[in-house]
């Protein structure tokens, strides 16, 4: 499993969108994986997380960051149409 800390915790979470995060992640994955034959496996074994430092934020900001994290994960599942590995 690879945990991608894609949702920033230092920036204002109200200036971040799921679509913007998705675009950044797609660009990153394109650079990292390219046309790698196991790209789907690599994506399936990914976990979307907030970046570090969430415990220092207000509950309102933390809630927003968790909603962004959930939204990005949902967006990826819709786009990639792959089953992500279950959390144990």
């Amino acid at each position: 499993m690879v945990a991608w800390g894609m949702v920033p915790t230092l920036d204002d979470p109200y200036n971040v969108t799921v679509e913007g995060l998705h675009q950044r992640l797609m660009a990153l994955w394109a650079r990292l994986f390219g046309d790698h034959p196991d790209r789907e496996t690599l994506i399936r074994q990914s976990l979307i997380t907030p970046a570090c430092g969430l415990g220092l934020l207000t509950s309102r900001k933390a809630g927003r960051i968790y909603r962004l994290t959930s939204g990005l994960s949902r967006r990826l599942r819709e786009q990639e149409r792959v089953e992500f590995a279950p959390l144990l």
Side-chain angles (χ1 to χ4, degrees):
M1 296 291 294
V2 175
W4 302 94
M6 286 303 299
V7 182
T9 55
L10 297 178
D11 297 334
D12 182 352
Y14 297 96
N15 291 331
V16 179
T17 65
V18 168
E19 191 56 37
L21 292 170
H22 181 259
Q23 289 174 5
R24 286 173 51 191
L25 186 58
M26 289 298 98
L28 173 67
W29 282 354
R31 285 196 335 240
L32 287 175
F33 304 149
D35 290 330
H36 192 282
D38 289 331
R39 180 180 187 276
E40 186 176 309
T41 300
L42 294 166
I43 291 171
R44 189 181 316 112
Q45 293 177 341
S46 292
L47 177 68
I48 304 302
T49 68
C52 295
L54 195 61
L56 302 174
L57 301 177
T58 65
S59 59
R60 182 173 181 248
K61 284 185 179 181
R64 169 71 177 160
I65 289 167
Y66 280 126
R67 285 188 297 278
L68 288 166
T69 302
S70 176
L72 178 57
S73 178
R74 194 170 28 258
R75 174 76 167 84
L76 289 168
R77 286 191 306 270
E78 291 168 359
Q79 175 189 332
E80 295 299 324
R81 290 186 170 68
V82 296
E83 288 296 319
F84 285 78
L87 295 177
L88 302 177

